[in-house]
Amino acid sequence: MSRRTFSMGGVHPADNKISRDCKIEVLPIPDTVYIHLGQHIGAPAKPIVAVGDKVKVGQPIAEPGGFVSAYIHSSVSGTVKSIAPRKDLAGNPQMCIEIAVEGDEWMEGIDTSDTIVTDFPDDAKTSLEKIKAAGIVGLGGATFPTHVKLMPPPGKKCDMLIINGCECEPYLTSDFRTLLEKGEQVAIGAAIIKNVLGVDKATIAIEDNKPEAIKHMNEVLTNLRKLSSKYAGISVMSLMKKYPEGGEKQLIDAVMHRQVKSGGLPIDVGAVVQNVATALAVYDAVQKNKPIVDNSVTVTGECFPKQANLLVRVGTPLKYIIDYLGGMPADAVKVISGGPMMGKAIANLDAATLKGTSALLFLTAKQTARGKEGNCIRCGKCAEACPMGLEPFLLNRLSRAGGMLDELEKNAVQDCIECGCCLYSCPANIPLLDVIRQSKAQVMGVIKARAAAAAAAKK
Amino acid sequence: MSKLLVSPSPHIHASVSTKSLMRDVVLALVPAAIVSVLFYGLGELVVLGTSIASCLVLEYLITRYLLKKDNSVGDWSAVVTGLLLALNLPASTPWWVVFIGAVVAIGVAKMTFGGLGQNVFNPALVGRVFLLVSFPTYMTNWESNGGLFGIADAFSGATPLGAIKEGLIALNAGTPGASTLSELTSQYGVSDLIFAHLGGSAGEISAIALLLGFGYLLLRKVVRPYITLSIWGTVALVSLAFSLAAPEQFTGPAFNLLTGGMILGSCFMATDYVTSPMSIKGGIIFGVGIGFITMMIRYFGSYPEGMSFAILIMNATVPLLNNWCHQRKYGRA
Ligand code: SF4
Ligand code: SF4
């Protein structure tokens, strides 16, 4: 067992990785896909196709709508049926390109073979261009455009690239399966990112509940090192299983023993973190000219008829996936996009998957029940659990008192990463994070307004 | 298809509740309760029964009819208070005195502050101290008729701490024939103190039964050890220093750690969530304070035992300690 982990807080929810032995299976292509233009953090992409256009798999259909934005590609071949608002997972209308599928014809130049290409361009710029063109966004949950993250602001130096293979949320297994089945590609992707950043060291961080993946990645790296010196400096690090180890700040603390200052960025302490799925996407983009058209999705839950890890084309309707695996279980009351700690409850099963959709989790009423709220018994379990060292009981009290934004800011409500450890641990079932989330948004608003005012005063 | 439940994350919850924590505390006190019934006989059973039942009934009536809130009897916290109160009383306490203690504990110390989580002082201790001040004769009567199955010899006398205090007063007054301190303490073998000895409230007589329960709480992560350890550390250091300086006036560490309400107080009363500080730093200051005040009362006060007073005094500092001491935050010096 590994003893290395982040330095404060954290919880140990049951692993429940019941789909861990399910190989990644290719989901047949649906009749119609619905590709949202807002698949990433930042400005939505702008469509560059029109209704009636014929498109191929991998063809760009929307371009970045700003500096922090990303390309979007067609995930199927067929005809553009409509470009109109459509309800997303949360039930909110978002601009969306509807494509009727005809065959499976790919763009020229995309290498769809399984051959593994180990040699990559030395020139960082070529790789970066390809990453941008492929529409890669952080696939660990944040969906921040990757090419932006790989261009550190001037004056900031990266000391270490961390490939996040923690998958610390219960139930999720798509990164684990990717490491086992596409370990070479992930390692090559890591080497490419390392080269783009110009750093000497890269670490693939994996929690010790996945010993097979740790062993496999070590073997993969040993073999790659024999092939080329480009693979020097990449290692695997085993971390003690603890949630939220995969949180960027916690991971940097665990791997580098450095802490990102409040309001700062990982690069301030010399770190860049990329997820396993993102490293795979980088490999596809640079080595195979393949943009993001599909991604792995874990479909799981004790009540769900069949556990699976599926390779799904972007924009596949959720209903289609559910029906493929045997239909909606009668006792499932909640479907979550992502894991049970930080995932979002889905309101609309007619919605389609996004690049960043990593899991569909089905929970029964009993599994997701929240007990009746009682008095705070001042047990301190929320503070003990908080990986940011905050005091959720206090933030809750200040929030509910009203008009205490100054006090809330002093007590660092803005540092909350919304991991849910506090609410998960509270014996009195106080909806700590629900309350904290609201006051965090208010305090962030105040901080932004202050920064804007300061900037205006300077001019 | 039925409508999907849409609510914010996290979507799962740990299997701990106020009720499960309180139930664990009750379980942890069961060994001590059993030993006390064995040693003090059925009278102890009456004290335990009266105390727990009164606390439950009072909690129900007050929440239901006075505060008009959902009644909180189901959370087991009243059972904990009842049990702790009983373990702090002599087995010979009349039932109506026990009942008055329960009224003070639940009615005054807990409910007037707003119920579980809101009270400043440990309810069971407030009940106990009220009785100690109001009914001193009942509260210092440590008789046993021999317990169940004749496990103990019939006994009537003082607690070890009480006996020492009396003895020292006699000695210092120059009473002819008074025993020296070492003669006094030699009546109490360390192993008797650890396993079980007579003379003391139910919860004082067996260190091992209490420590067993405390170990269970630590294992189950119901409490953390730092408050208890800092009390023990302080008591050990203070009594070591005094007993080395004046061996004929002051008792030493082993004696002080094992007698009086030391184990019960440090393991079960000082660690009460509601009335102890939230942070580790605060908890350590709290523990050191309790240890120090206890020793000062034992050495220099008029009561032989100071644990209850020390905890109550430090309870009053908790809001301040919570204001001053915060845990370290990520990425902030
Ligand atoms: S949700 Fe926020 S306050 Fe709660 S444990 Fe996580 S970081 Fe701390
Ligand atoms: S975990 Fe819940 S009951 Fe315990 S201190 Fe925090 S808010 Fe209060």
Side-chain angles (χ1 to χ4, degrees), chain A residues 249 259 333-334 340 343 391 415, chain B residues 5 7 11 326 330-332:
Chain A
K249 295 201 166 82
Q259 296 189 349
V333 297
K334 202 186 237 183
E391 291 156 311
D415 289 2
Chain B
L5 177 64
S7 57
H11 306 284
H326 296 272
Y330 179 103
R332 289 167 182 257

Side-chain angles (χ1 to χ4, degrees), chain A residues 289-309:
Chain A
N289 287 320
K290 184 186 159 209
I292 298 196
V293 295
D294 52 19
N295 62 303
S296 303
V297 179
T298 302
V299 188
T300 185
E302 282 85 353
C303 63
F304 199 68
K306 198 170 161 228
Q307 310 301 314
N309 293 293

Side-chain angles (χ1 to χ4, degrees), chain B residues 185-265:
Chain B
T185 45
S186 65
Q187 311 165 36
Y188 305 102
V190 167
S191 68
D192 286 344
L193 293 177
I194 290 178
F195 288 102
H197 62 92
L198 280 170
S201 72
E204 288 174 30
I205 58 175
S206 173
I208 200 97
L210 291 165
L211 288 175
L212 203 70
F214 187 58
Y216 171 77
L217 291 187
L218 288 179
L219 266 183
R220 298 268 297 161
K221 299 214 162 87
V222 174
V223 294
R224 290 188 285 179
Y226 53 86
I227 293 179
T228 308
L229 291 180
S230 46
I231 296 177
W232 291 352
T234 311
V235 167
L237 280 180
V238 171
S239 54
L240 186 69
F242 275 87
S243 62
L244 284 181
E248 278 311 308
Q249 285 299 316
F250 301 109
T251 44
F255 188 78
N256 277 296
L257 283 171
L258 291 169
T259 53
M262 180 55 63
I263 309 277
L264 183 66

